[in-house]
Amino acid sequence: MDQDSHTSGTDETEQAERPTLKTLAFMTGLGVTTVSRALKDAPEIGAETRKRVQLVARQIGYRPNRAGVRLRTGKTNVISLVLDTEEQIGGFVSDMIYGISEALAPTPYHLIVTPYSRNNDPLEPVRYIVETASADGIIISRTEPDDKRVRYMTEHGFPFATHGRTAMGIEHPYHDFDNTAFAAQAVERLAALGRRRLALLAPPANLSYFHHMRDGFAEALAEHGLTEAPLTGVTVDHSIEAIRARTAEMMRRKVRPDGIVSGAGAATFALVAGIEDAGFRLGSDIDIVSKQASRLLHLLRPQIHVVNENVRLAGSELARAVMARIAGKPVASLQSLSRPDAVEAFGQDG
Amino acid sequence: MDQDSHTSGTDETEQAERPTLKTLAFMTGLGVTTVSRALKDAPEIGAETRKRVQLVARQIGYRPNRAGVRLRTGKTNVISLVLDTEEQIGGFVSDMIYGISEALAPTPYHLIVTPYSRNNDPLEPVRYIVETASADGIIISRTEPDDKRVRYMTEHGFPFATHGRTAMGIEHPYHDFDNTAFAAQAVERLAALGRRRLALLAPPANLSYFHHMRDGFAEALAEHGLTEAPLTGVTVDHSIEAIRARTAEMMRRKVRPDGIVSGAGAATFALVAGIEDAGFRLGSDIDIVSKQASRLLHLLRPQIHVVNENVRLAGSELARAVMARIAGKPVASLQSLSRPDAVEAFGQDG
DNA sequence: TCCAAAATCTGTAACGTTTCAGATTTCTGG
DNA sequence: CCAGAAATCTGAAACGTTACAGATTTTGGA
């Protein structure tokens, strides 16, 4: 029965060592194997034994040792969020993390944040995680149409989900905001306001959602018979100063836009500044429809038309998707697209 | 590249299993103990052997199995950032995470994010980590003068660092922004602008930095012979709407402030809205000096006077502090206070 | 040349978990 | 009442690492 009578356990006092399966086995008089199985509802354990073990486990607050499980099974119970750590003003990263945490909370999964610098190889952190098996699943963002990371993880059969879609003939879990619909709605609103010549402040051209947004923009432009005022050389990822300067420059030209679609909230701050630098007024000379993750734009200028992107939701969707993928669910059911709400407006005057 | 074409398991060919100490021992012809020691520069290993082992290890890309180390030694190589996940608009959490990541990057430490809801017990996640030994160190924020978590971790001898100081006679590592100095500088600026009656939009009263900020505010007020216009019932943590409404209310009273000190950037958005709701103008009727983590306020209204708080820096300081604490460095050297830069102004008119 | 001390190296035993291959007990039908 | 099947239970081994207690070799002093 009790083999370990003489061994190491010099814990005769009250100082409770953390209970292990052995502790539980001793307390219940069962073997450690039985205890292990009873706790995970294995079929070959008697109903009463199972209940008894689980009761005791709950009583003494048993929690499986993660290192033990991980060493034995290779399962880490970790989801890794891989993100680039360049300064992103008004970044939505916190919302994403909150969303992921929310989904992970009722599970045994922990969230680990793996950073990389945007000028390094984005594949590097992913490769590290896969090679060292330091997580069960990965969430990535800044997805590209032909994404090395997606290819790598797919080839290695490693579970993951992407924030944003790809276009490389690989089916994989993702969550995305429908930026095509957003851009189309934005153009439509501007058209309804009587605007004729529109500019688009787009994401960087290497990212998938650049194409989505641009497609929606271009198509709606055509549909409403509007023309484009190209806003080149600058993207939502550029610095406030760069966008501001470039916008002012554009506005000072003879042929300037009377409407702008902006892909990001922080960038819109810079847009507005640039417009006003050039001496124009929002709402009268020009209108802006902007996407935003945090609800501050209407406080900047109530004339801005906004579409809210729920990044927190994206986070929990992504977390759920990776976990489902880890559990072996088919990919097809793990792809979701978030349709934008209608464009909101707050008033013509402060 | 040759991907493991046939199904998941049974890779009989070149598909390299991850190397372990055993692999290394076999390759070098040494014992596994010797290899283990050679890799960590133990003194009883011959110089040549050491070099040889390290060379081979580097060649085949050996990386210690974290689960193995953790199970054997109890060392997790994990730092846990504990944070509350309530919606915090314009939250600085991303910056903090970037800062921590930066400091952790050249070390074997990983960052794990442990969330809790503000309405639950903040001690709960801390206790979980300590009890399950799931990290080597903890970073907490929203520090209170008499902080349960600090007491708990100290009593359990668990390494940690706090964002913000405490006042309970316990010495512990911290990093803090000097909010007393900030408030004093802010008041001074407002006094210099000829303002006489000032309001303070403060942090929640339970947090340490509420007291720091309020002390600096009150003292400077006295020093410059100014009076306070109390802005009660609302803190920087309240919703935009709440702050906005409360501010408008205050401004509509007969006795209203002609200057406001604001403890947070997002809250200042609401302040400005409230002021303008009531029909007053920034720069002429009233001035604001605000702290901000992200540099957007001057785009909201160039009249706002700002002091920047570098949260990214705070993050790396905190990370360095916990790691040093884990390494056994004395607490005294791990306390740092960040002095605010001078108040910045951007102009009197848009 | 020899012996002890120093310098190197090594096997075994854990850490806590799950899996494998039985062992034991209970049940069933004849 | 028994053989065999079913139902329960079990110890040993293994995952990769480090600590302990030796084992072996080399060195150096006499």
Side-chain angles (χ1 to χ4, degrees), chain B residues 21 36 40 62 65 72:
Chain B
L21 286 183
S36 171
K40 48 173 54 71
Y62 167 78
N65 179 305
R72 179 63 233 241

Side-chain angles (χ1 to χ4, degrees), chain A residues 49 93 108 118 142 144 146 151 176 195 216 227 242 276 308:
Chain A
T49 305
V93 167
R118 202 178 294 171
R142 298 186 70 80
E144 304 183 13
D146 183 30
R151 194 181 313 286
D176 204 354
R195 303 305 184 180
T227 61
E276 296 179 351
N308 295 304

Side-chain angles (χ1 to χ4, degrees), chain A residues 97 101 110-113, chain B residues 79-81 83 97 111-115:
Chain A
I97 288 175
S101 298
H110 284 181
L111 171 62
I112 185 164
V113 173
Chain B
I79 302 292
S80 187
L81 172 65
L83 34 85
I97 288 175
L111 170 63
I112 185 162
V113 173
T114 307

Side-chain angles (χ1 to χ4, degrees), chain A residues 111-125:
Chain A
L111 171 62
I112 185 164
V113 173
T114 306
Y116 70 97
S117 171
R118 202 178 294 171
N119 20 8
N120 289 353
D121 185 359
L123 185 55
E124 206 268 325

Side-chain angles (χ1 to χ4, degrees), chain A residues 297-305 345-350, chain B residues 301:
Chain A
L297 285 179
H298 66 286
L299 298 173
L300 170 66
R301 298 290 182 273
Q303 296 86 357
I304 300 175
H305 304 257
F346 287 87
Q348 295 310 307
D349 206 43
Chain B
R301 297 291 181 270

Side-chain angles (χ1 to χ4, degrees), chain A residues 21 33 36 40 62 64-65 68 72:
Chain A
L21 287 182
T33 304
S36 171
K40 47 173 56 70
Y62 167 78
N65 178 304
R72 177 65 233 240

